[in-house]
Amino acid sequence: MRRLFILVYSFLCFQFLSASSNTEPKIRYFNLQDVELLDSPFKNAQQLDKQYLLELDANRLLAPFQREAGLPATDSYTNWESTGLDGHIGGHYLSALSLMYASTGDEQIKERLDYMLNELKVCQDANGNGYIGGVPGGKAIWDEVTEGNIKAGNFNLNGKWVPLYNIHKTYAGLRDAYLYAHSEQAKNMLVKMTDWAIKLVANLSEEQIQDMLRSEHGGLNETFADVAAITGDDKYLELANKFSHKLILNPLLKHEDKLTGLHANTQIPKVIGFKRIADLEKNDSWNEAAQYFWENVVEHRSVCIGGNSVGEHFNPVHDFSRMINHTEGPETCNTYNMLILTKMLYQTSGDKKYMDYYERGLYNHILSTQNPNTGGLVYFTQMRPGHYRVYSQPHTSFWCCVGSGMENHAKYGGMIYAHGKDELYVNLFIPSKLDWKEKNIEVIQENNFPDEAKTQITVNPKKSQKFALKLRYPNWVKQGELRLTVNGKNEAVNIDENGYISVSRKWKKGDKIAIDMPMHVTVEQLPDKSNYYSVLYGPIVLAAKIQNGELKDLFADDSRGGHIARGRQIPMKDIPIIASEPKDIPSLIKPIDGKPMTFTISNLFSENYPKQMVLMPFFRIHESRYIIYWPQASANEVEALKKAIEEKERNKILLDAITIDKVVCGEQQPESDHFIEMDNSSTGFIDDVHWREAKGWFSYQLKDEVKKAKKLHISYFDKDRDRNFEILINGSVVQQMAMSGDKKDVLQTIIISVPEAEYTKDILEVKFVAKSNSITTKISEIRLLTE
């Protein structure tokens, strides 16, 4: 029965295709049910993830959906699940349970999934129109949208926090419950909910829909395209096209880079949708747009671990300074989505460059974002030297990266192998057992990778048969160094046009293929070519532990900002500098005898740390501060670099030391964490500095739990004439502002005293109100200071 579902789906996925296209699949993937993980860090991560899923209370995840359907409900979880994004984890939970059941066959997981689906079906029936959602007050805003009353911002729609993004998780969860757990109930619910979406926008013009899509909406175009593939009805493909955001698509079609400053994970799911539609419609131009996006992000915007973005946004390709200085590094959701896009592009190209990146992101980012003891999940992975990461807890933390994280560790079997008609591809060197049902062949891969740079594959066909074994030649192995044996005898290493070693023969039970893949130490410069370098051994990013400074709130509470590592920042002037020419750095890195994947790095210049430190795989460093990127200078430049770093950071350190709370304007998470409200407001950025302005007003709630706030520190741009507005604290005007517009693009600051009457308040509402017929200036950052 399971096989029938997948065959039907595979047929429907490609029924829109005609003769030949760059969008036609070159290979096919195995079902998760066909791949069993063997002992490895990935198997451990899978087991921890299963425990995490079962620890969650399904009823509390269901509560937002039940409440919005007018049904009795228990208390929701806190954190993002009760502050505006109610229900988003419920959708992720469906996906994670479905993937985990497919990967493990665990009946407890299946029972939990069935319970979630049954209860959501009750909600759908109660709503009566196909809708399922936990968006607070969702019925009202969907009625407004249907009537064409659309008020969209980047991270809000009609006053709600990204409701389209929220329901996308429900769509994706229902889809995955059908595709991976084969629930006909989920399929029926998915189709009904998609019919509701058709009615939602039936009376809207293309212009109105595109205006609505300014609000973050996840990958709705992808899921609607998937419904088209599942049902064979092209009305859903029409809907997918309607939900494709042309503001992002059109520059990509022209191979234009317009990504700098954009919220990264808002864009990646859209491109996944462009690719999905391209595959179904045989649209080469949309496929090329998706390829261009991938190449731009991977080759120019990603750091060594395979992740991208700083403070959730794409930074300029020529300036990664914020990546090094900021405490909000690459977001896990971004790499989660980039790997989905990579999987799609690899399937229709067969090019191993996609698998080389997939391996990089999988080991160094995805695997590293789960605490190997608690199963806790990570939001931001800091590139700032000497900082640390925060881990989720099952009953306090409900960030987007918890949702995608629960999925990440449930699907590791998905890309290890692939196949053609008579070819078996080995893409990843993860211990596993494959059941190639179509051929009646068992394949076992055993290794201790990456501690040992080799793997062994045993082929067990039920009957001897001929096929080609395609082994990825990794980009980190030098040409001519890889060694291959079959049953102990040397085999020629013939590499095909896609970068795979092809071994074609008649295989019999017990045939063994051994691959030796020598690793080497390499260094990678930060993409902007500034003097920061990371160290790799083969595909594995190496890092050093820093035992200096407390790990404040290492395990997150349920506060809105609990996912951010807010502990003390080690001054950059104190970080060890590699005193060497870049070309000589590999010679400074030596293996430690008897400790696999463990090295020393020497010639370090620092007043606070030894001249030699230990390097190990980053994915093994947890509950610790660390260094991934090292500042570098030649021996005679070290002192000058140290002084330059100290001078540049001095004012920031002093300001941070007296900051109680701050909000960065125009960036999603800081604004939502501070409960932004607004009327007729917009955002933008200047040289990677985000801002917000308004013809009406906007406000934030800043916390002063210590009750020590004395000053309000505001950063802004004075580049526009006749900007007249007021600044209020808790409803009282504290400053009148009139801008002359003569400061151009130079960031300005003003410090305002907090009224004594507000000293005892836990929350200070800071509000900017434009005067009649005017606009506020562009506000960049607001801080509460102790002095």
Side-chain angles (χ1 to χ4, degrees):
M1 178 61 72
R2 289 185 177 186
R3 189 66 191 158
L4 175 63
F5 274 95
I6 297 301
L7 287 174
V8 169
Y9 176 63
S10 297
F11 170 75
L12 290 173
C13 282
F14 306 123
Q15 69 171 321
F16 295 94
L17 296 172
S18 53
S20 64
S21 167
N22 293 329
T23 61
E24 202 157 356
K26 304 293 191 299
I27 56 97
R28 292 171 61 194
Y29 293 117
F30 289 98
N31 305 323
L32 284 174
Q33 291 93 335
D34 297 335
V35 181
E36 176 188 351
L37 297 184
L38 303 179
D39 287 344
S40 71
F42 294 98
K43 179 66 174 287
N44 181 63
Q46 182 188 75
Q47 293 302 309
L48 280 172
D49 192 38
K50 185 169 70 172
Q51 294 172 25
Y52 200 100
L53 293 175
L54 293 174
E55 173 71 15
L56 293 173
D57 185 336
N59 288 316
R60 296 189 71 182
L61 292 175
L62 287 164
F65 301 93
Q66 294 166 335
R67 186 172 57 248
E68 291 302 310
L71 298 170
T74 188
D75 291 335
S76 299
Y77 273 119
T78 52
N79 194 240
W80 292 14
E81 276 291 300
S82 63
T83 53
L85 211 55
D86 312 39
H88 77 122
I89 292 295
H92 278 296
Y93 195 52
L94 291 177
S95 292
L97 290 169
S98 303
L99 292 164
M100 187 62 76
Y101 177 60
S103 294
T104 66
D106 188 285
E107 286 302 323
Q108 233 183 325
I109 292 291
K110 180 62 161 57
E111 289 172 9
R112 184 70 61 88
L113 174 62
D114 288 344
Y115 179 74
M116 290 287 296
L117 290 171
N118 289 337
E119 293 301 311
L120 289 173
K121 175 66 164 57
V122 174
C123 294
Q124 189 175 50
D125 290 344
N127 286 327
N129 59 357
Y131 173 68
I132 311 170
V135 177
K139 290 182 179 179
I141 69 161
W142 301 131
D143 286 345
E144 292 172 357
V145 168
T146 300
E147 294 166 2
N149 179 12
I150 296 169
K151 299 185 286 290
N154 290 344
F155 310 118
N156 61 86
L157 178 64
N158 289 42
K160 301 297 181 180
W161 185 12
V162 291
L164 291 170
Y165 167 94
N166 190 336
I167 64 171
H168 167 250
K169 308 312 165 195
T170 305
Y171 278 108
L174 294 171
R175 173 202 61 193
D176 293 341
Y178 171 63
L179 295 182
Y180 295 104
H182 317 305
S183 169
E184 279 290 331
Q185 180 186 41
K187 173 188 171 183
N188 294 333
M189 293 164 66
L190 172 65
V191 173
K192 287 181 181 179
M193 190 170 174
T194 310
D195 288 336
W196 166 82
I198 290 177
K199 295 176 183 176
L200 179 73
V201 298
N203 298 319
L204 301 184
S205 66
E206 180 181 4
E207 183 180 6
Q208 287 175 310
I209 294 174
Q210 289 297 312
D211 180 43
M212 179 180 70
L213 294 180
R214 290 190 298 119
S215 178
E216 185 180 12
H217 53 274
L220 281 172
N221 55 347
E222 180 211 7
T223 51
F224 295 150
D226 286 336
V227 175
I230 290 168
T231 63
D233 192 332
D234 60 7
K235 73 179 181 182
Y236 301 116
L237 199 55
E238 180 183 349
L239 182 66
N241 275 281
K242 285 183 178 181
F243 272 81
S244 291
H245 195 197
K246 303 303 191 296
L247 185 68
I248 300 303
L249 174 62
N250 289 339
L252 296 177
L253 291 170
K254 300 174 185 176
H255 289 201
E256 294 177 354
D257 179 4
K258 302 291 186 181
L259 299 177
T260 297
L262 297 182
H263 186 259
N265 199 49
T266 295
Q267 318 316 323
I268 304 170
K270 298 175 187 176
V271 180
I272 292 171
F274 302 156
K275 171 60 177 167
R276 187 72 178 104
I277 293 168
D279 289 351
L280 293 177
E281 293 187 333
K282 194 187 170 192
N283 187 327
D284 285 341
S285 63
W286 281 37
N287 180 65
E288 290 173 9
Q291 288 177 332
Y292 171 75
F293 176 87
W294 185 93
E295 290 165 359
N296 182 291
V297 172
V298 170
E299 297 171 9
H300 304 292
R301 297 183 176 278
S302 295
V303 290
C304 61
I305 63 169
N308 62 74
S309 82
V310 55
E312 301 192 359
H313 292 71
F314 285 127
N315 55 275
V317 294
H318 62 275
D319 184 3
F320 274 65
S321 58
R322 288 186 72 230
M323 182 71 75
I324 290 297
N325 294 316
H326 209 291
T327 58
E328 297 175 15
E331 181 183 350
T332 305
C333 280
N334 295 15
T335 302
Y336 157 89
N337 276 313
M338 284 301 297
L339 294 190
I340 292 173
L341 179 60
T342 300
K343 181 177 181 180
M344 298 170 76
L345 290 167
Y346 172 69
Q347 183 169 30
T348 55
S349 73
D351 192 330
K352 96 175 172 70
K353 74 176 184 180
Y354 293 111
M355 286 310 311
D356 287 331
Y357 167 73
Y358 198 99
E359 178 183 61
R360 175 73 72 96
L362 196 70
Y363 276 93
N364 300 301
H365 198 182
I366 298 302
L367 182 60
S368 79
T369 56
Q370 184 201 57
N371 187 303
N373 300 310
T374 69
L377 302 159
V378 168
Y379 194 115
F380 293 121
T381 295
Q382 291 26 288
M383 294 297 104
R384 181 186 174 93
H387 214 59
Y388 65 101
R389 298 175 293 173
V390 167
Y391 301 94
S392 70
Q393 299 189 84
H395 298 293
T396 67
S397 313
F398 296 93
W399 328 310
C400 54
C401 294
V402 167
S404 59
M406 293 188 301
E407 297 178 39
N408 281 331
H409 309 291
K411 59 179 181 178
Y412 282 127
M415 287 290 281
I416 303 173
Y417 308 100
H419 69 99
K421 181 179 179 182
D422 292 304
E423 302 87 26
L424 175 65
Y425 293 84
V426 179
N427 292 319
L428 298 169
F429 311 115
I430 297 175
S432 51
K433 182 187 294 185
L434 167 69
D435 181 6
W436 191 0
K437 291 184 174 66
E438 290 177 0
K439 298 285 188 180
N440 285 319
I441 296 172
E442 176 190 72
V443 177
I444 301 173
Q445 183 174 187
E446 300 169 291
N447 61 52
N448 193 26
F449 187 85
D451 290 337
E452 295 177 346
K454 57 186 179 181
T455 192
Q456 178 177 278
I457 297 167
T458 304
V459 181
N460 292 319
K462 192 168 185 179
K463 293 182 180 179
S464 297
Q465 57 183 295
K466 187 174 182 178
F467 65 90
L469 187 64
K470 301 276 191 175
L471 308 165
R472 181 172 65 93
Y473 197 115
N475 64 343
W476 39 267
V477 178
K478 294 179 180 178
Q479 291 300 311
E481 286 195 352
L482 186 145
R483 294 288 178 265
L484 175 68
T485 65
V486 178
N487 296 329
K489 296 181 179 180
N490 291 330
E491 186 82 15
V493 177
N494 299 314
I495 305 174
D496 67 18
E497 68 276 8
N498 288 322
Y500 283 78
I501 305 163
S502 185
V503 183
S504 184
R505 58 183 283 148
K506 189 173 185 178
W507 300 92
K508 63 182 185 302
K509 188 173 183 178
D511 281 344
K512 294 186 184 299
I513 305 94
I515 314 169
D516 286 316
M517 304 170 287
M519 294 185 186
H520 298 277
V521 171
T522 57
V523 296
E524 282 190 8
Q525 194 173 13
L526 206 60
D528 64 355
K529 304 305 177 186
S530 58
N531 60 325
Y532 284 88
Y533 288 82
S534 62
V535 180
L536 293 92
Y537 190 61
I540 306 301
V541 172
L542 303 177
K545 287 186 176 182
I546 288 279
Q547 301 298 347
N548 184 336
E550 86 292 350
L551 304 175
K552 182 180 179 183
D553 301 324
L554 180 66
F555 297 99
D557 60 17
D558 65 354
S559 64
R560 277 287 288 266
H563 57 292
I564 301 171
R566 299 188 184 278
R568 185 180 73 88
Q569 299 174 37
I570 296 176
M572 293 292 288
K573 69 180 180 63
D574 294 339
I575 297 299
I577 298 171
I578 301 177
S580 168
E581 296 295 338
K583 63 181 178 60
D584 297 327
I585 295 176
S587 67
L588 305 177
I589 298 160
K590 306 294 184 185
I592 298 177
D593 291 341
K595 293 186 175 182
M597 294 297 293
T598 311
F599 305 80
T600 58
I601 179 170
S602 58
N603 276 38
L604 300 177
F605 178 89
S606 174
E607 297 174 359
N608 302 290
Y609 298 95
K611 293 183 178 181
Q612 179 173 284
M613 296 179 70
V614 175
L615 295 174
M616 65 181 67
F618 176 60
F619 72 78
R620 289 181 176 152
I621 293 180
H622 288 278
E623 301 179 32
S624 173
R625 293 174 179 263
Y626 54 83
I627 300 176
I628 291 178
Y629 275 99
W630 303 78
Q632 169 275 332
S634 60
N636 61 351
E637 296 172 337
V638 167
E639 283 289 354
L641 176 62
K642 182 175 179 295
K643 289 181 180 178
I645 291 172
E646 184 176 6
E647 180 65 28
K648 184 176 181 180
E649 199 176 34
R650 178 183 293 118
N651 290 337
K652 180 181 181 300
I653 291 174
L654 292 174
L655 185 59
D656 285 344
I658 59 174
T659 296
I660 298 170
D661 194 9
K662 73 172 183 179
V663 56
V664 180
C665 305
E667 292 190 1
Q668 177 186 14
Q669 217 47 62
E671 289 198 324
S672 61
D673 286 345
H674 290 85
F675 301 96
I676 182 172
E677 294 186 10
M678 74 194 84
D679 177 58
N680 204 1
S681 179
S682 60
T683 62
F685 54 90
I686 299 171
D687 292 336
D688 201 32
V689 178
H690 286 75
W691 50 258
R692 177 174 290 280
E693 65 183 8
K695 292 181 179 179
W697 57 269
F698 60 97
S699 66
Y700 306 101
Q701 295 180 25
L702 279 77
K703 289 184 178 180
D704 181 23
E705 294 175 348
V706 295
K707 299 182 177 61
K708 291 184 178 180
K710 298 295 187 293
K711 303 289 183 180
L712 189 65
H713 181 282
I714 299 172
S715 301
Y716 62 93
F717 289 103
D718 180 6
K719 61 172 295 180
D720 305 292
R721 288 186 175 278
D722 301 323
R723 294 294 181 101
N724 303 308
F725 60 99
E726 298 175 331
I727 303 172
L728 297 83
I729 296 179
N730 287 346
S732 298
V733 176
V734 293
Q735 188 74 30
Q736 303 276 356
M737 301 286 288
M739 302 287 98
S740 60
D742 58 358
K743 301 296 193 303
K744 303 306 177 187
D745 293 343
V746 179
L747 201 60
Q748 308 295 309
T749 61
I750 184 172
I751 296 177
I752 302 168
S753 294
V754 173
E756 289 188 19
E758 310 304 330
Y759 286 0
T760 60
K761 306 290 178 62
D762 290 340
I763 299 294
L764 299 183
E765 182 195 62
V766 180
K767 189 173 184 178
F768 300 84
V769 182
K771 292 195 173 180
S772 180
N773 298 317
S774 190
I775 308 175
T776 70
T777 199
K778 294 174 170 61
I779 308 296
S780 172
E781 183 181 82
I782 306 158
R783 292 175 180 248
L784 284 182
L785 307 182
T786 58
E787 58 185 65

